[in-house]
Amino acid sequence: MGDHSEKGQHALLNEGEENEMEIFGYQTQGCRQILCLAGSILSLGILPLVFYWRPAWHVWANCIPCSLQEADVVLLRTTDEFQTYSRKKVIWIYLSALNSAFGLTPDHPLITDEDFIINRAIRKPDLKVRCIKVQKIRYVWNILEGQFQKIGSLEDWLSSAKIHLKFGSGLTREEQEIRRLICGPNTIDVEITPIWKLLIKEVLNPFYVFQLFSVCLWFSEDYKEYSFAIIIMSIISIALTVYDLRQQSVKLHHLVESHNSITVSVCGKKDGIQELESRFLVPGDLLILTGHKVQMPCDALLIDGSCVVDEGMLTGESIPVTKTPLPKMDGSVSWKMQSETDYKRHVLFCGTEVIQAKAAGPGTVRAVVLRTGFNTAKGDLVRSILYPKPMNFKLYRDAIRFLLCLVGTATIGMIYTLCVYVLSGEPPEEVVRKALDVITIAVPPALPAALTTGIIYAQRRLKKKGIFCISPQRINVCGQLNLVCFDKTGTLTRDGLDLWGVVPCNKNGFQEVHSFASGKALPWSPLCAAMASCHSLILLDGTIQGDPLDLKMFEGTAWEMAVSEDDFHIKGVPAHAMVVKPCKTASQVPVEGIAILHQFPFSSALQRMTVIVQEMGGDRLAFMKGAPEKVASFCQPETVPTSFASELQIYTTQGFRVIALAYKKLGNDHHTTSLMREKVESGLIFLGLLILENRLKEETKPVLEELISAQIKTVMITGDNIQTAITVARKSGMVSEGQKLILIEANETTGSSSASVSWKLIEEKKHIAYGNQDNYINIREDVPDNGREGSYHFALSGQSFQVISQHFSSLLPKILINGTVFARMSPGQKSSLVEEFQKLDYFVGMCGDGANDCGHVRLKMAHVGISLSEQEASVASPFTSKTPNIECVPHLIKEGRAALVTSFCMFKYMALYSMIQYVGVLLLYWETNSLSNYQFLFQDLAITTLIGVTMNLNGAYPKLVPFRPAGRLVSPPLLLSVIFNILLSLAMHIVGFILVQRQPWYSMDMRSACTVQNESISKLTTSPPAPEKNGSNSAFTSFENTTIWFLGTINCIVVALTFSKGKPFRQPTYKNYTFVLVLIIQLGVCLFILFADIPELHRRLDLLCTPVLWRVYIVVMLSSNFIVSLVVEEAIIENRALWMVIKRCFGYQSKSQYRIWQRNLANDPNWPPLNQTSFSDMSGCDRGVSYSNPVFESNEEQL
């Protein structure tokens, strides 16, 4: 469980897993609860609201710490950098209800057997169990070990022998009832959240609570119009969010609904086989699978018979997968560890469809329920959607700091207001109102809504391009991507494979290639028999289905497939076995057909598959196919041609996919199922090579070239042969002409020799002059190349990656900086690689079709996961593209960059808008004056709201530039821009405020000020009448008010134009026609109000008529402000070259790990080592600069 503190109050839940949490025990105290209740009443509900936002405070206020054993409340804290708290009540499950039905007593054998967690959790003699429910998973208190443990699955430590013995004949009725009560129902229950619940949750968001406070304050000041506008905008925003959440809830509910209502056959120990609703299943139940299609309602372990399963829901690829029974082996080793075969080959996963079930002999197909409910594979997928990992992006943390700065500024303003108004002798309620007003001015309530619109627009643009997003906040993260990993097959290359030819071999070595393009039939030989039978194809409703590679191979033989009938009697061949037969047109085939008796299915970890077959009227044989290097290692050395490596290289360097085939004869006296895989797969005879063509998708090369030219590192991660992967990397432009490619081979420790790593330069077949190549991966920007001959890339296999990770950890970051091709990678290694890149501070994107057993997991692990599959599994991926090629990657990066820049523009604008209003109001407070409601309304609604909605409409710039936008709000250029513009606006307002008081007409009658510099008496009639001192406008109307309002209002428009950024990340501002039109209309209206002497308009807006010359002065001040602001923004703030010079002058260097390593390697004359071999016991190999990034280590899960 984890590290227990001395009192046992603290422990770890799910230690080492992705959802690891710390758990603390607490006990509720009555007196504390009474005090909290009193506080809730006295604070008018504010205290419960704070407790709602901060669950930890709720626990600390109501409870006292205690041991987990005595706790009635637990506090959970995630172990990532977010340290998120949640509160859970400990509940009791009572078994006493089973007393009367089964006579269950504390000394009942079922209770006393402590082999299982369930029994260890039952408290005796009162027969009850303590449990908590966290993220849909139930945890019970293990009394024996003193910790909370997950329930709802069979224990991992059980051996295969124990599983066969204990569960092979089913559970008794009593066992089922006990497990049902403790484990809970076998349902993946995603309730459709009621609208009222969603509404309350949304309304209690701190942002909306602050808006409610602002609106109440404004109503008290009779500022109704903007209050109503804010209320309407909030209602629309809440309604859209609630609608979106409701739709997601309904969609997810329908996705899992069918899972909960399946009828299954269960075999009981005493009751025999009976029909049961799937929600009553418990771990340990024995399922009986019939031949009909059935959707798995749980994870189950196949113990007898074999199944063909469609795992499209999990992997994103609807290719039938063959499942084999768990062999019964002696020993106490965990069933997962007992064989080198991937244990998943024995597991039928929840949500997958069993399309064929075949018994081994006269019996039935049996499977033991392994996991139920949300513990299952499908449950895990659904939980990853219900509880997505919080995103660690500096922008959002900076946004909080930014808001705190505004709050700090507001506090200073409040103190100033209190001093001014108290000294002026204003009534207390007026003082409080004015002071609170400052908060709503300095912290604009519309800020979050304005920031969200940019992301909404980006999401809409992506949707038009067929890219769907389940996590809109990740769009901004796309703008920071600087490394993209690609799967090869189905992502960079086409899905389908074309059969090119076979290269048979005999004692004399490889023979002439048989080309399938010639149309000639493949002559009979063991090689032909291997191609016809060594596959996992099935016959379903008269059509052959299975892996595309197997399908192409079988089609090349021109054989046909059938299922043996009941009257099919050949010794050792069961009825309904799969039989392959030569077509009637085929000639000179000495066998009638071949029956497939047993399969050892293909596994990406093992890189091979084997079948045992029976020739009709002939021998019993074993055929193997798989990765050439792997197959050759199982063959008799003398049967493998000496030219094996060179022949293999001929085809792999041309980009072909190569599969090797081998066989051996078996004795007919062995029972097929009793043969161990190790015995079958030994001493084989090598048959030859199967050559398949895997062509690049047309879009691959231009997309990769676009990414590389934008200095985005591209990496290929594939399960294919390294030579094939290297060729695809060269053909696709991932490794361009003139760049060295270095193959790294690492070997494990063997006997006397320690682990070693060697470096070999891979020469291209044609001579290429290494010229001045674009040095995009080795060193960039600030890292000189030291005149080296071209840049270089590393290629390595999964095995080498594993060895380097274990024995040469200090070399790993050096290799990853220039690592481009990673071949023969297992799913686990792929996930580790993504994690290692993240530790180097790369922002990692992962693009794949999710077509393997952990595809969607890797897509979740990366900062940005893009699935090219529309299967159910892809719903866990943040982004899904309808277009099945990698064109979506640059689109996503462009939109991400545009959204990121838009966020910065909005932050800057909203900061300036609030500061302009703040400065203006505080200056007027000096005269115990303020802006009137209509003046506020005009600024807030007619100016800022319209700008906030339209400023974000700029689309993404069509070209990817070779640098990224800043990822932080606190970057020097951005801070300088905001501070400079605030100071500029402050200076302008102060100048205007002081100058207006020094005008000769300032002390005159307000009516005559208009005509001081205009001798025409007729103008008097158009001037507004002098307001009465006791009139309704006396609180606001003044020359200072009029001047400050015009300066502030038009300055908001000017700032919007200055801050609206176009190239290089967004379309130019002039292309945002709506925004430009809005600015023109707003500016026109403001100038009209400024220069038009319309008394009624002035009266409504509480303005005074001023001399025309003063109005010209206002325009001159604003124009000067605009010109200075624009020049500084363009010449300094946005001048990237200038900032690069400043960085160099101050010696600033990027602190990102990958940048540090790039600089170190650029200055290392011995890197990269060529044609060398290093050993793990050599000095400097295993010891070196350790690297670590705690942020990603704790956070990245990965996925």
Side-chain angles (χ1 to χ4, degrees), residues 232 403 599 647 698:
I232 290 165
L403 284 172
Q599 287 181 10
E647 189 80 12
E698 291 168 11

Side-chain angles (χ1 to χ4, degrees), residues 237-249:
S237 176
I238 289 169
L240 286 172
T241 308
V242 167
Y243 173 78
D244 197 36
L245 290 170
R246 173 79 173 185
Q247 288 295 96
Q248 284 184 23
S249 180

Side-chain angles (χ1 to χ4, degrees), residues 835-846:
E835 221 172 337
E836 292 298 333
F837 275 128
Q838 287 171 332
K839 288 180 189 175
L840 287 171
D841 293 345
Y842 279 112
F843 275 85
V844 183
M846 179 79 209

Side-chain angles (χ1 to χ4, degrees), residues 507-648:
K507 292 174 185 176
N508 303 319
F510 286 107
Q511 304 299 298
E512 192 179 331
V513 178
H514 173 87
S515 173
F516 288 98
S518 64
K520 288 180 186 175
L522 186 66
W524 166 254
S525 67
L527 179 61
C528 179
M531 287 174 62
S533 60
C534 191
H535 50 69
S536 56
L537 299 173
I538 61 160
L539 200 60
L540 197 64
D541 301 327
T543 58
I544 301 171
Q545 293 187 8
D547 188 285
L549 186 149
D550 286 352
L551 212 51
K552 285 285 179 189
M553 180 181 75
F554 183 70
E555 286 168 4
T557 62
W559 281 39
E560 54 190 30
M561 188 179 277
V563 176
S564 61
E565 303 296 333
D566 289 329
D567 57 355
F568 183 85
H569 296 298
I570 293 178
K571 187 185 174 188
V573 179
H576 304 290
M578 195 61 69
V579 177
V580 290
K581 299 176 180 177
C583 290
K584 291 171 185 174
T585 53
S587 57
Q588 298 177 335
V589 178
V591 295
E592 288 178 39
I594 299 171
I596 301 166
L597 307 182
H598 188 69
Q599 287 181 10
F600 297 106
F602 176 81
S603 148
S604 54
L606 300 179
Q607 298 175 359
R608 66 182 187 275
M609 81 163 288
T610 305
V611 293
I612 299 172
V613 302
Q614 175 72 53
E615 290 181 342
M616 294 184 191
D619 299 320
R620 184 162 293 186
L621 308 168
F623 288 113
M624 178 193 281
K625 83 164 191 298
E629 309 90 335
K630 186 64 76 173
V631 171
S633 69
F634 290 98
C635 293
Q636 299 168 26
E638 64 273 14
T639 67
V640 180
T642 50
S643 60
F644 170 77
S646 58
E647 189 80 12
L648 180 60

